[in-house]
Amino acid sequence: MPATTIENEPLLESEYQETDASSSSSSLDLQVSEKGHHQYQCQTCGTPTTQPSSSRRWWWVKFGVAQLVLILCYTVVSLAVIQSTVDTESVPDIHAFAGLAVRYKFRLYDNFVNSPYGGEPTPASDAAWHTLLNNMSVRVTAEELAAHGQTSVPLPGGGYLAWLGVFHELHCVKMLRQWSWREHYFPNMTAHDHMHQMVHIDHCLDWLRNAAICRADTSALAVFKWDPRMPHPMLNTHRVPHRCVDWDALMSSHADRLVSHDEVRDLKNPILKAPAVKGEEKGGEVTKGDVGIEALGR
């Protein structure tokens, strides 16, 4: 029987199975050619046949593995870039001291038309500001100061005097309000007093500018409207929700640290020099270094 070569199609294993026990069988030897193809050698006919399907399977396996490796590399690089961005653009949420309840909620800003903190000075508005700033002085430890790289004035009852940063800002808002009504709050002001207060006012303006930039309220939009009396767009002061700290919770969380007004009044400056005549300090000039906390008692 002449040898038959099957080309272009894979041989089925059943074609080589023995069908008749009495007939002469043809055994096949599996050989691997130099090109990597599987060849079946028919021992009776001596003609090799090629089965390319195995090579194709291996090619697809290699291709799949390569794709998985590429996806893994892409994922690792992407995560590294994201982590690098997060590390660069964010910082830990650090508070002034332990125990502060800092949580957020959305609320409307107070309507300035009816706000007890604005308008012409009245006993009611002064009382509102006194209540708002009544609990501004707190007691901190030396370790808490050291954690921020700071020092402060020791208190008679132990610990050190401090404010939360928000009270510095509120103090400045109050000073700007008083300056707006300086005829009421600073009557009979001398030229030196005026100069001193202007340094304080400039300090407060720039402090509040920094605070606004630092916290950057991005929870709401400021929008505009037309007014028939104005040629240019006007800011629309319609109130919308803002993401705000829960003020009551924050105040309650450090009530045990509050320093009484009596303890603050008992503080005595151990390095106080004899006061000079007004207008003669530093040649009659007031510098930005003169801004202190004399307004604690206001």
Side-chain angles (χ1 to χ4, degrees):
M1 178 181 295
T4 303
T5 302
I6 302 177
E7 298 179 352
N8 301 327
E9 293 183 2
L11 294 177
L12 299 177
E13 183 179 358
S14 59
E15 294 180 56
Y16 294 95
Q17 291 179 348
E18 189 175 53
T19 57
D20 190 348
S22 61
S23 64
S24 60
S25 61
S26 299
S27 60
L28 296 175
D29 292 334
L30 177 62
Q31 300 177 347
V32 181
S33 69
E34 293 180 355
K35 295 182 179 180
H37 295 287
H38 291 169
Q39 292 184 335
Y40 293 87
Q41 180 70 39
C42 178
Q43 291 182 342
T44 58
C45 60
T47 305
T49 59
T50 303
Q51 186 181 15
S53 61
S54 179
S55 175
R56 292 173 183 171
R57 282 196 299 270
W58 276 110
W59 187 90
W60 281 109
V61 170
K62 293 176 181 178
F63 178 78
V65 171
Q67 292 298 312
L68 289 175
V69 171
L70 287 175
I71 292 173
L72 180 61
C73 291
Y74 177 79
T75 302
V76 170
V77 171
S78 298
L79 290 175
V81 171
I82 293 172
Q83 185 62 41
S84 174
T85 303
V86 171
D87 292 342
T88 302
E89 297 182 356
S90 65
V91 294
D93 192 10
I94 298 175
H95 303 312
F97 46 79
L100 288 175
V102 182
R103 52 177 180 259
Y104 296 87
K105 65 179 183 180
F106 279 88
R107 74 170 186 86
L108 299 176
Y109 283 177
D110 296 334
N111 188 336
F112 78 94
V113 176
N114 301 318
S115 173
Y117 305 103
E120 188 174 351
T122 63
S125 63
D126 288 341
W129 275 103
H130 175 78
T131 300
L132 183 62
L133 301 180
N134 191 44
N135 298 330
M136 66 193 306
S137 297
V138 294
R139 193 184 316 274
V140 296
T141 65
E143 292 75 18
E144 288 166 339
L145 288 171
H148 298 277
Q150 294 176 294
T151 60
S152 190
V153 172
L155 288 164
Y160 297 84
L161 178 65
W163 293 348
L164 284 176
V166 62
F167 280 108
H168 188 171
E169 296 156 19
L170 287 172
H171 157 78
C172 277
V173 174
K174 180 182 177 182
M175 286 301 302
L176 291 175
R177 165 177 163 73
Q178 291 180 338
W179 189 247
S180 297
W181 299 96
R182 51 188 172 274
E183 293 82 4
H184 174 82
Y185 290 105
F186 305 106
N188 306 316
M189 187 185 304
T190 66
H192 178 270
D193 292 335
H194 186 278
M195 221 181 330
H196 177 80
Q197 289 299 329
M198 280 307 304
V199 173
H200 203 156
I201 295 303
D202 284 343
H203 156 77
C204 280
L205 284 171
D206 205 55
W207 194 270
L208 292 173
R209 177 191 64 82
N210 276 289
I213 294 173
C214 177
R215 289 164 182 80
D217 181 9
T218 59
S219 62
L221 292 172
V223 295
F224 298 83
K225 65 181 180 180
W226 289 111
D227 187 295
R229 300 164 298 178
M230 305 293 293
H232 305 294
M234 290 185 59
L235 194 65
N236 190 339
T237 57
H238 175 73
R239 297 185 300 158
V240 296
H242 291 257
R243 181 177 181 266
C244 302
V245 168
D246 186 331
W247 182 256
D248 292 335
L250 177 63
M251 293 298 100
S252 298
S253 66
H254 68 281
D256 58 334
R257 290 177 175 263
L258 298 181
V259 179
S260 69
H261 295 288
D262 290 339
E263 189 171 359
V264 174
R265 279 193 292 266
D266 287 342
L267 290 171
K268 304 298 180 184
N269 186 353
I271 60 173
L272 181 65
K273 297 179 181 179
V277 177
K278 283 188 176 182
E280 294 183 358
E281 304 98 321
K282 301 179 183 179
E285 296 182 358
V286 181
T287 67
K288 292 186 177 181
D290 293 323
V291 176
I293 62 168
E294 70 278 8
L296 265 173
R298 291 187 181 277

